[in-house]
Amino acid sequence: MDWPHDPDGEEGSEGGRKYGQAVIAKKVDEDEDFPLNKAEFVEEFGDHPIRLDYERVVSLADIFEHVEGEEFGDFVELHKAIGKAMRENGFWFYEGADQFVTGKNA
């Protein structure tokens, strides 16, 4: 896929590699972006690369097609929805992530 910027370049990772949810979080301004509309967010950032691990890069849109909800009232609500979608759909890279998928607070 042709990315709008290099996922490991200065624009994509601020001088060092960032992965998964950390990359998405950098695209959100907690003071100005809420309530956050999912469709508008994906329209703006959907083609941006999200590095999942040292080998895999997917688009933000690939992750957000699994995020439940259309609008998020605050950063915590959004972060929980993204984390749940990533864990349940194979976008989460760390050992033990499966134990959190079925939890009540996932």
Side-chain angles (χ1 to χ4, degrees):
M1 177 172 199
D2 289 331
W3 303 111
H5 58 266
D6 177 359
D8 296 321
E10 288 298 318
E11 184 180 349
S13 60
E14 299 174 340
R17 277 192 172 177
K18 304 280 189 288
Y19 296 94
Q21 225 168 342
V23 177
I24 298 170
K26 293 290 185 185
K27 299 180 183 308
V28 178
D29 182 324
E30 285 189 70
D31 296 325
E32 296 182 16
D33 290 344
F34 292 96
L36 185 137
N37 179 282
K38 178 175 138 180
E40 291 172 3
F41 187 69
V42 171
E43 184 175 327
E44 182 174 354
F45 298 110
D47 64 343
H48 284 211
I50 307 298
R51 179 169 290 287
L52 298 177
D53 58 38
Y54 63 95
E55 294 180 318
R56 290 192 315 158
V57 177
V58 300
S59 71
L60 182 135
D62 289 342
I63 294 170
F64 268 74
E65 72 181 60
H66 303 285
V67 173
E68 295 175 7
E70 297 305 316
E71 188 171 277
F72 304 94
D74 61 29
F75 186 76
V76 173
E77 184 182 341
L78 172 66
H79 205 62
K80 285 182 178 183
I82 295 169
K84 183 175 190 272
M86 290 181 72
R87 287 188 302 274
E88 290 179 349
N89 294 282
F91 295 120
W92 199 265
F93 178 74
Y94 77 88
E95 249 181 81
D98 295 343
Q99 69 183 321
F100 297 103
V101 172
T102 59
K104 285 191 272 184
N105 295 325

